[in-house]
Amino acid sequence: MQFASRHYGNVIVAVPSGRIDHAAAAPFELALAPLLGNSDASGLVLDFGSVDYISSVGLRVLMIAAKQLRARKARIAVTTLQPVVAEIFKISRFDAVVEVFPSLRGALGALSPEARDAYDAG
Amino acid sequence: MRRIRFWGTRGSLPVALTARDVRRKIAAALRDAAGRSFVTDGEIDEYIDGLAFDVAGTYGGHTSCVELETGDAEYVVCDLGSGLRPFGQAAIARHGPAAPQTYHLFVSHLHWDHIMGLPFFTPAYIPGNRVIFYGGHAELEHALRRQMEPPSFPVPFSTFNAAIEFVHLEPGRVHDVAGMRVTLKRQHHTGDSYGYRFEKNGHTVVYTTDSEHKLADPEESAGFAEFFREADVVIFDAMYSLAEATSVKADWGHSSNIVGVELCQLARARQFCMFHHEPALDDTAISKVLAETRRFEEITRTGAALQVTTAYDGMEIRL
Ligand SMILES: [Zn+2]
Ligand SMILES: [Zn+2]
């Protein structure tokens, strides 16, 4: 698994890639941790466009992130799920835990118009 | 080991079909028939066999009770849920009340839904029968006696006329019961529960219910995969979705279809059988979960296919 992140306005966009399987879950959790503590951010969007697979342990990390963000009234969303990952979200009912958007721009717009403007400005 | 027979598959509380449920099934079957007419019973049976299970059948409502047909004359049963009553009646109908039988009853844990059938287990009242309870809990006998004390029940445990025995089983040790090699494993559940691995004549059945998998500790998952190793069938507590099991229902002591498939794949088990159905789910909802779980197995498959089934009262699995 690879991991990158950047800001658009007050929203953090995290971009993991590869397989978030049992071996990758711990590095994924470690990579996310500093982003969850950022109290200036109003939300976190996970761009899953390059994620091929996520296992139960990876989804558990997402649940921990969702709980932590919600505790400080921040939002969490995922975008651009590959078809197989979208199915895993549906079957595990994680599509009811985190908001799922077809595009990164759409997710940013839903979380914060300011973030979408920053995205549009490049 | 020849066959598994399910007498109770529901979690937590027995449920019953209502008149409204039956009406909905009849309406769906008539709609599906679309004006077809049937002359013989054979034609009717053929038509019913072609209907979806949630229309023509029901997953059923008895709580946990699973019979293992070992090929031996003695009976082996996992858990004493409300399904134990029809199991006992069937055994009596088969042999008549006068022919003494031996019943080996394995108890996963002492929650009510897993012991509530015992007061209605007729063979225990018949002299000459032998009833042996097995479990990992020190309070097993106390719990079984207590539920038959006033003011909860009018007939005390001491009324049982069969020869009653209690056998305490230690996890990690190999026990020889009714010609089977039996091992047990302690599981995450309030008050602890035990999963059982039964082996005989090259066949293995794992009964693992009321077991929460925390997912935080890879060694723990590896331990369960080892316990399920190459089993023919893993009867698994898939009560909740993964999202529920890791959020609102975390620490409620149950697991999900997703974790079950992953553990069985890791263990290279042959069949994953979902069990301990959530009482709030109707037949259509359980059928939907079955279809989704089969799809999940397909998209996550790495080696040989894992057969995915979901238990219903009356279901049999031939080994
Ligand atoms: Zn239970
Ligand atoms: Zn329980």
Side-chain angles (χ1 to χ4, degrees):
Chain A
M1 187 213 53
Q2 308 282 307
F3 191 91
S5 69
R6 59 171 303 175
H7 279 77
Y8 288 107
N10 53 356
V11 173
I12 302 170
V13 175
V15 190
S17 60
R19 291 171 62 85
I20 308 179
D21 55 14
H22 285 57
F28 179 50
E29 189 169 5
L30 277 174
L32 271 183
L35 307 181
L36 304 177
N38 185 336
S39 54
D40 300 332
S42 68
L44 172 71
V45 175
L46 290 133
D47 181 344
F48 265 37
S50 302
V51 172
D52 309 317
Y53 170 74
I54 184 162
S55 75
S56 62
V57 182
L59 288 167
R60 177 186 164 270
V61 172
L62 219 56
M63 181 65 79
I64 294 168
K67 279 184 192 163
Q68 232 172 302
L69 289 167
R70 253 175 233 139
R72 58 174 181 80
K73 307 260 185 286
R75 281 168 75 180
I76 181 167
V78 294
T79 75
T80 29
L81 300 184
Q82 294 186 22
V84 160
V85 177
E87 279 193 88
I88 294 173
F89 268 71
K90 204 168 133 262
I91 296 169
S92 64
R93 308 284 184 260
F94 265 69
D95 58 352
V97 171
V98 291
E99 297 175 81
V100 179
F101 295 92
S103 73
L104 176 56
R105 188 176 184 277
L108 291 171
L111 261 61
S112 151
E114 180 200 328
R116 188 189 47 213
D117 291 347
Y119 177 84
D120 287 341
Chain B
M1 208 90 79
R2 288 187 182 160
R3 205 191 300 254
I4 305 168
R5 196 175 285 116
F6 293 86
W7 293 93
T9 58
R10 190 65 63 163
S12 304
L13 191 75
V15 297
L17 279 183
T18 63
R20 203 164 140 242
D21 297 328
V22 174
R23 193 185 171 91
R24 209 183 291 136
K25 285 174 192 286
I26 293 172
L30 289 174
R31 215 176 291 123
D32 204 72
R36 266 174 68 178
S37 63
F38 306 94
V39 178
T40 64
D41 284 352
E43 284 172 8
I44 293 174
D45 283 335
E46 196 185 316
Y47 170 68
I48 292 173
D49 290 342
L51 289 169
F53 184 78
D54 61 311
V55 173
T58 183
Y59 290 95
H62 278 304
T63 63
S64 303
C65 184
V66 179
E67 177 190 0
L68 303 181
E69 218 181 273
T70 65
D72 201 273
E74 302 186 344
Y75 284 99
V76 174
V77 170
C78 296
D79 276 338
L80 323 173
S82 68
L84 188 68
R85 184 188 58 79
F87 161 74
Q89 297 317 118
I92 289 170
R94 193 167 154 204
H95 307 285
Q101 306 298 326
T102 298
Y103 298 89
H104 301 276
L105 308 179
F106 291 85
V107 182
S108 66
H109 66 307
L110 310 175
H111 283 161
W112 195 25
D113 55 318
H114 296 259
I115 63 170
M116 56 166 44
L118 182 62
F120 303 91
F121 182 53
T122 310
Y125 293 93
I126 299 175
N129 283 337
R130 216 177 138 206
V131 179
I132 310 158
F133 299 98
Y134 301 84
H137 293 81
E139 322 90 314
L140 174 60
E141 181 169 355
H142 169 71
L144 298 186
R145 285 182 179 278
R146 194 188 60 173
Q147 74 166 344
M148 297 178 74
E149 280 170 11
S152 298
F153 200 72
V155 182
F157 188 97
S158 59
T159 316
F160 285 154
N161 284 316
I164 304 285
E165 294 162 53
F166 286 89
V167 177
H168 179 76
L169 302 179
E170 293 281 348
R173 278 181 49 189
V174 177
H175 305 273
D176 185 348
V177 180
M180 301 179 299
R181 183 184 191 272
V182 182
T183 46
L184 62 163
K185 185 168 173 58
R186 194 153 65 91
Q187 309 176 131
H188 278 298
H189 197 69
T190 308
D192 292 340
S193 69
Y194 293 90
Y196 291 94
R197 182 184 172 99
F198 302 96
E199 295 167 74
K200 190 182 177 184
N201 300 340
H203 286 300
T204 302
V205 174
V206 173
Y207 178 76
T208 172
T209 193
D210 296 62
S211 174
E212 183 165 355
H213 296 274
K214 290 290 191 184
L215 307 177
D217 179 4
E219 263 178 46
E220 197 182 290
S221 301
F224 276 97
E226 190 50 43
F227 191 62
F228 299 175
R229 178 74 44 213
E230 286 168 17
D232 292 277
V233 183
V234 177
I235 302 162
F236 188 91
D237 168 6
M239 193 172 185
Y240 302 140
S241 68
L242 178 64
E244 287 174 315
T246 51
S247 62
V248 281
K249 293 173 183 175
D251 302 320
W252 286 24
H254 299 285
S255 191
S256 65
N257 55 345
I258 299 273
V259 171
V261 168
E262 286 181 348
L263 287 173
C264 285
Q265 285 170 335
L266 213 57
R268 280 185 271 116
R270 276 180 272 283
Q271 184 175 163
F272 167 65
C273 181
M274 294 184 277
F275 184 73
H276 205 271
H277 306 305
E278 157 68 50
L281 297 187
D282 64 14
D283 291 323
T284 306
I286 295 174
S287 283
K288 181 177 171 229
V289 171
L290 174 61
E292 288 177 326
T293 310
R294 287 182 169 157
R295 174 65 186 153
F296 179 73
E297 185 279 329
E298 198 174 72
I299 60 184
T300 57
R301 191 183 300 162
T302 50
L306 168 71
Q307 193 184 348
V308 176
T309 53
T310 196
Y312 60 87
D313 295 9
M315 184 168 95
E316 294 186 0
I317 297 174
R318 242 169 260 226
L319 296 168

